[in-house]
Amino acid sequence: MLRSTLLKLSESKGFARWVTSNRTTRRMSHRFVAGEELDEAISAARVCNDQGMLVSLDYLGENVATAADAQRARNAYLAVFDRIAAEKLHANVSCKLTQLGLDLSLEFCEGQVLSIVERAASYDNFLRVDMEGSAYTERTIDVVKRVRLRSPAIGTVIQAYLYRSEQDIQDLLAIGCRIRLCKGAYKEPLQVAYPKKDDVDANYVKLARLLLPSGFYHGIATHDPRMIAATIRVAAENNVSKDDFEFQMLYGVRTDLQRRLVRDGYRLRIYIPYGRDWFPYFMRRLAERPANLAFFVRNFLR
Ligand code: FDA
């Protein structure tokens, strides 16, 4: 109930305006967001690298309304790849297609993604296309498949809560696409997604069993100790070594577990978001864990 309400609020423009203009909530957003500027994200990435963690930088933004906004986002991503190379960071980039014009036209968006992927490839780097709500799943996979035919420097995300995900994984593996597996962060109807956590978790492990022995390098994105233990078990059963996949976690979430995985010799990538458009991302993080909300309300009232 609380999760649904927070996810619904994440789409409210009025609430977004209030939250993002309020000094206290802006300060609180730093729990999950590195900052509003690229420099802040670069500093956070440097700290992660120094602790033995890889990074994926995400310039926050979703659902742009004009081609000019989408092109500005594309240019920002080109600059991020340039900066990663100049700073010699161990980092790749994550993006959302609705920020790059998917609502405007699939072909336009594909052209934008291709130009970013070409820049990534020129540095031997990689672009990960995040997965958004189910209204975008089909189109996101279409764009990724088309660009993947031109370059291996692109991968995407599959959400374990969607019924369709097993088939999507089979299709993407058939073209050698690298996948990040996550549970899924959006409000989805019963018709497309498992409503119960136990079913999502069971599907997560089932999908990890498909990914890990596939021979491609995938990302297992979760903070759930049970999913992590299951992944380690599946990897051992299939002789998949610690270097053949990576765990991924979000900036500011379960830093204790992050440190433990690195200490145990696993590859771990931290997803570091930055930018002014942090509101929907922030709301999804609150929705994932009701205790976060209590923490923020307490801070706000202080
Ligand atoms: P679960 O939600 O069961 O949480 C397990 C435990 O982790 C909790 O008990 C708590 O301790 C901790 N935890 C989880 N979330 C927390 C939070 N916000 N604050 C504090 N503690 C928290 N989703 C999507 O739809 N599309 C995408 O592209 C991505 N991309 C992505 C990248 C990366 C690197 C990660 C880690 C996650 C995503 N996600 C995502 C989000 C994902 O779908 C999911 O919503 C969250 O990871 C939470 O699910 P867990 O697997 O952590 O398990």
Side-chain angles (χ1 to χ4, degrees):
M1 175 67 180
L2 185 55
R3 177 175 183 271
S4 298
T5 309
L6 289 167
L7 290 176
K8 190 88 203 126
L9 274 175
S10 75
E11 293 164 11
S12 159
K13 298 243 181 301
F15 191 55
R17 261 194 305 280
W18 181 77
V19 169
T20 53
S21 60
N22 181 287
R23 265 184 45 202
T24 310
T25 43
R26 284 176 70 157
R27 188 169 37 78
M28 292 189 309
S29 72
H30 285 278
R31 158 90 201 273
F32 297 119
V33 177
E36 296 198 346
E37 305 301 329
L38 177 58
D39 279 346
E40 294 166 282
I42 296 289
S43 301
R46 174 83 54 216
V47 171
C48 287
N49 280 181
D50 289 347
Q51 294 175 346
M53 300 170 190
L54 305 161
V55 162
S56 193
L57 291 176
D58 169 37
Y59 170 53
L60 291 166
E62 315 178 6
N63 296 102
V64 300
T66 67
D69 283 344
Q71 279 158 344
R72 259 191 293 280
R74 191 231 13 219
N75 293 343
Y77 279 112
L78 297 179
V80 178
F81 276 113
D82 294 345
R83 188 75 187 275
I84 288 172
E87 301 272 348
K88 297 189 171 40
L89 288 170
H90 297 292
N92 65 26
V93 174
S94 294
C95 71
K96 290 188 174 47
L97 293 193
T98 62
Q99 185 188 22
L100 293 166
L102 189 59
D103 287 324
L104 307 175
S105 121
L106 192 137
E107 287 69 28
F108 168 71
C109 183
E110 180 189 342
Q112 298 247 98
V113 174
L114 183 60
S115 65
I116 301 172
V117 167
E118 283 169 348
R119 182 68 60 92
S122 75
Y123 292 120
D124 207 10
N125 207 331
F126 180 77
L127 179 72
R128 174 82 59 186
V129 175
D130 286 346
M131 193 57 77
E132 301 178 65
S134 60
Y136 296 106
T137 311
E138 188 74 27
R139 283 176 284 167
T140 300
I141 289 178
D142 268 5
V143 170
V144 170
K145 278 183 179 163
R146 291 181 193 202
V147 176
R148 178 62 185 79
L149 293 176
R150 316 264 295 263
S151 169
I154 187 170
T156 190
V157 178
I158 290 293
Q159 297 152 322
Y161 63 16
L162 293 186
Y163 305 134
R164 57 176 288 163
S165 287
E166 182 171 351
Q167 186 59 53
D168 286 334
I169 286 185
Q170 306 282 15
D171 295 347
L172 289 164
L173 288 180
I175 56 164
C177 191
R178 288 167 53 184
I179 292 170
R180 171 200 295 152
L181 179 63
C182 69
K183 290 191 186 179
Y186 295 81
K187 182 168 159 42
E188 298 293 357
L190 267 174
Q191 291 78 4
V192 302
Y194 294 104
K196 294 205 183 97
K197 179 175 162 51
D198 282 354
D199 294 328
V200 177
D201 290 355
N203 201 38
Y204 193 100
V205 178
K206 184 177 177 194
L207 300 178
R209 282 190 184 282
L210 291 177
L211 292 177
L212 289 167
S214 69
F216 303 110
Y217 184 87
H218 301 296
I220 303 298
T222 182
H223 318 90
D224 185 339
R226 289 187 313 123
M227 299 300 107
I228 291 171
T231 301
I232 291 171
R233 225 173 19 248
V234 173
E237 284 163 15
N238 291 279
N239 292 319
V240 174
S241 87
K242 286 178 175 173
D243 292 334
D244 292 335
F245 71 98
E246 64 186 34
F247 286 109
Q248 299 184 349
M249 293 195 196
L250 301 176
Y251 178 77
V253 177
R254 291 299 310 257
T255 47
D256 56 331
L257 207 48
Q258 295 177 7
R259 280 194 293 270
R260 196 159 81 216
L261 282 174
V262 172
R263 200 190 55 217
D264 292 348
Y266 289 98
R267 296 168 70 104
L268 174 69
R269 188 176 301 275
I270 305 300
Y271 182 102
I272 300 184
Y274 73 96
R276 297 196 178 160
D277 212 352
W278 48 263
F279 173 76
Y281 178 88
F282 176 74
M283 292 300 286
R284 288 196 291 275
R285 301 297 75 84
L286 291 189
E288 275 156 6
R289 191 162 175 264
N292 287 341
L293 185 65
F295 173 81
F296 283 109
V297 170
R298 267 201 313 277
N299 270 277
F300 194 77
L301 296 176
R302 222 174 248 165

